[in-house]
Amino acid sequence: MSNGIFVQGSLESQILDLAYYISNLREEEGEEEAPYMQETKKLIAANNNDVYIQLAKDGSIFLTKSDREVEGAFNLLVVITLQAQDVNAAVKELIKTLTQTESTKTSLKQKILLNLYNALPSNSPLRYDAFLGLVDVTAHADELDSLYGQLDHIDAWVKQWGIDAQTERQLYNHVGEKLSQVGEDKLAFDFLLKTLATYNDDSASSTDLAKDAVIRAVSIENFFAFEDLLQYTAIQKIKGTKEYELLDVFLNGDLNTYKTFAAANADLMKRLDADSNVRKIRLLALASLGCENLTRELSYAEIAKSLDISEDEVEMWVIDVIRAGLVEAKLDQLNKTVIVHRSVHRVFGKEQWQQLSERLNTWKESLNEIMAVVGNAKLIAGGALQGGAAAVVVEDKTAQQAEVTVTNSSN
């Protein structure tokens, strides 16, 4: 038997070839008359799916023996399995063997699962099972980070595989759990949101997941995009609950709002870290203060009052909010002021659109004034070149732009 995928000969000869190799690994005697060979021949004669299931199970020996041919044997097993009468059962049995057999041959497991995945049709739901097996094997070896780059494609794959909503949820839940186990809380939360997006009702599971999403969003250290949660139907369905009130605090509240809520909901707050919550609400409150005072000098005293801190702590909090990506600002330590150049809106609604419109109109008016001054300067310069022509600019206040009238006079 040589390394590589075996396609020579009939299906029966491939099965017997693989059975003979398994028999040798078991150190059976008798070659064609060996017990495993006889058992396999009986299964072939029965002409059902049992032979494929049996080979898929017994392939576990390839993971426990040191032999240079085991990869080739596994590839042959993949070819045989895909020709089973019940491909679904045979493939799942092979995946079970690869994921549940105790072995140090992690790279071999990963390689065979990838070969199996790629050998399946691109629209086969069994690709879901193969991918899930790959995640399990990789996570068990503490190498899950090697798959992070592939997770970006998972939504497209789900559509290709044609799996139903329930299976899709199972996939997202499973990957999310594995990510949580290795401390990747932000990535795990992304998969929780993918799961949440599959719900359009207010079932018990949907409600529980939505509440959990709020708690985890508050708990993740550098998560501030609370407004994004409002797009999920499941989140909208939990209005009136304590969890939704908590979400509203982090969307619109300040430190005092948070303290009032926390005092009234001690049981819920036991699930959260108080110091982490206070830090996050202060950063969000500072971002809101920045939005309200763009390009205006904010004194240390104003910031200290808003965050309920001493003036000595202001610089630390400004640096933290900049590091968090919520604000772009400049500190003036001499005058104890802060100028905010950009700040993230916690909620961008009608009021924020109105503010943006007013700023654009102000910018437009300023630009028109600058254009008028530049135009007047050009006309004066042109008149001087022609022997002292005078230029007069008249601005029509009712129009969108200045009207320019030129009167020339000779000496």
Side-chain angles (χ1 to χ4, degrees), residues 139 142-149 151 172-193 216 219-223:
D142 198 22
E143 298 176 1
L144 198 57
D145 56 334
S146 65
L147 289 180
Y148 291 172
L151 298 181
Y172 294 149
N173 276 328
H174 193 79
V175 175
E177 287 174 3
K178 295 299 180 183
L179 289 166
S180 291
Q181 290 171 10
V182 296
E184 289 289 349
D185 294 336
K186 181 59 175 66
L187 271 175
F189 183 67
D190 289 343
F191 276 86
L192 184 150
L193 294 182
R216 288 173 65 175
S219 301
I220 297 172
E221 183 178 359
N222 290 313
F223 181 86

Side-chain angles (χ1 to χ4, degrees), residues 306-326:
S306 177
L307 303 189
D308 191 21
I309 57 175
S310 68
E311 288 191 28
D312 291 340
E313 298 177 271
V314 167
E315 290 180 9
M316 178 193 73
W317 281 100
V318 172
I319 292 170
D320 281 352
V321 81
I322 292 172
R323 284 176 176 169
L326 295 174

Side-chain angles (χ1 to χ4, degrees), residues 64-80:
T64 60
K65 297 291 184 177
S66 297
D67 189 281
R68 63 186 181 86
E69 304 289 356
V70 293
E71 184 179 339
F74 252 133
N75 285 326
L76 176 55
L77 180 54
V78 169
V79 171
I80 292 171

Side-chain angles (χ1 to χ4, degrees), residues 93-332:
E93 192 63 44
L94 176 56
I95 293 170
K96 183 179 177 181
T97 294
L98 287 162
T99 55
Q100 296 186 10
T101 302
E102 288 296 328
S103 172
T104 58
K105 297 181 179 180
T106 301
S107 60
L108 177 59
K109 288 183 177 183
Q110 292 171 323
K111 187 177 294 186
I112 301 307
L113 282 164
L114 280 172
N115 287 346
L116 175 61
Y117 180 93
N118 291 322
L120 289 162
S122 61
N123 61 347
S124 172
L126 287 170
R127 278 196 164 190
Y128 154 80
D129 298 277
F131 180 76
L132 215 59
L134 183 61
V135 169
D136 286 346
V137 167
T138 307
H140 184 72
D142 198 22
E143 298 176 1
L144 198 57
D145 56 334
S146 65
L147 289 180
Y148 291 172
Q150 304 300 315
L151 298 181
D152 293 337
H153 308 293
I154 201 165
D155 291 339
W157 291 342
V158 163
K159 293 178 181 178
Q160 286 182 346
W161 300 339
I163 56 180
D164 58 31
Q166 184 59 38
T167 307
E168 184 179 355
R169 287 170 195 158
Q170 291 172 359
L171 171 65
Y172 294 149
N173 276 328
H174 193 79
V175 175
E177 287 174 3
K178 295 299 180 183
L179 289 166
S180 291
Q181 290 171 10
V182 296
E184 289 289 349
D185 294 336
K186 181 59 175 66
L187 271 175
F189 183 67
D190 289 343
F191 276 86
L192 184 150
L193 294 182
K194 289 180 187 294
T195 308
L196 204 61
T198 66
Y199 287 99
N200 291 303
D201 56 26
D202 54 357
S203 61
S205 56
S206 169
T207 299
D208 291 344
L209 192 65
K211 290 179 178 179
D212 187 41
V214 173
I215 297 298
R216 288 173 65 175
V218 172
S219 301
I220 297 172
E221 183 178 359
N222 290 313
F223 181 86
F224 300 100
F226 291 99
E227 188 180 21
D228 290 351
L229 298 182
L230 299 179
Q231 67 181 291
Y232 296 95
T233 302
I235 293 290
Q236 295 295 335
K237 296 286 186 180
I238 62 169
K239 283 184 178 179
T241 66
K242 296 300 181 183
E243 286 81 4
Y244 193 89
E245 289 180 32
L246 176 64
L247 173 61
D248 188 62
V249 169
F250 280 87
L251 273 169
N252 302 296
D254 56 18
L255 185 60
N256 289 331
T257 310
Y258 169 77
K259 287 181 176 179
T260 300
F261 178 87
N265 298 278
D267 289 343
L268 177 63
M269 302 312 289
K270 289 177 182 178
R271 300 171 59 188
L272 297 159
D273 181 85
D275 291 339
S276 175
N277 292 350
V278 170
R279 175 184 178 275
K280 183 173 285 193
I281 201 71
R282 277 180 169 148
L283 292 175
L284 289 168
L286 185 48
S288 293
L289 189 64
C291 284
E292 296 164 4
N293 296 276
L294 283 178
T295 70
R296 187 181 79 80
E297 288 188 349
L298 271 170
S299 68
Y300 281 20
E302 288 177 281
I303 295 173
K305 181 180 179 181
S306 177
L307 303 189
D308 191 21
I309 57 175
S310 68
E311 288 191 28
D312 291 340
E313 298 177 271
V314 167
E315 290 180 9
M316 178 193 73
W317 281 100
V318 172
I319 292 170
D320 281 352
V321 81
I322 292 172
R323 284 176 176 169
L326 295 174
V327 167
E328 288 180 4
K330 182 179 180 181
L331 282 162
D332 185 341

Side-chain angles (χ1 to χ4, degrees), residues 351-380:
E351 181 181 345
Q352 286 70 37
W353 280 113
Q354 183 63 37
Q355 291 175 358
L356 179 60
S357 176
E358 291 172 359
R359 286 175 185 152
L360 287 173
N361 284 332
T362 300
W363 175 79
K364 181 180 178 181
E365 290 170 4
S366 299
L367 187 60
N368 284 335
E369 292 175 3
I370 293 171
M371 292 296 291
V373 171
V374 171
N376 191 37
K378 286 182 178 179
L379 290 170
I380 291 174

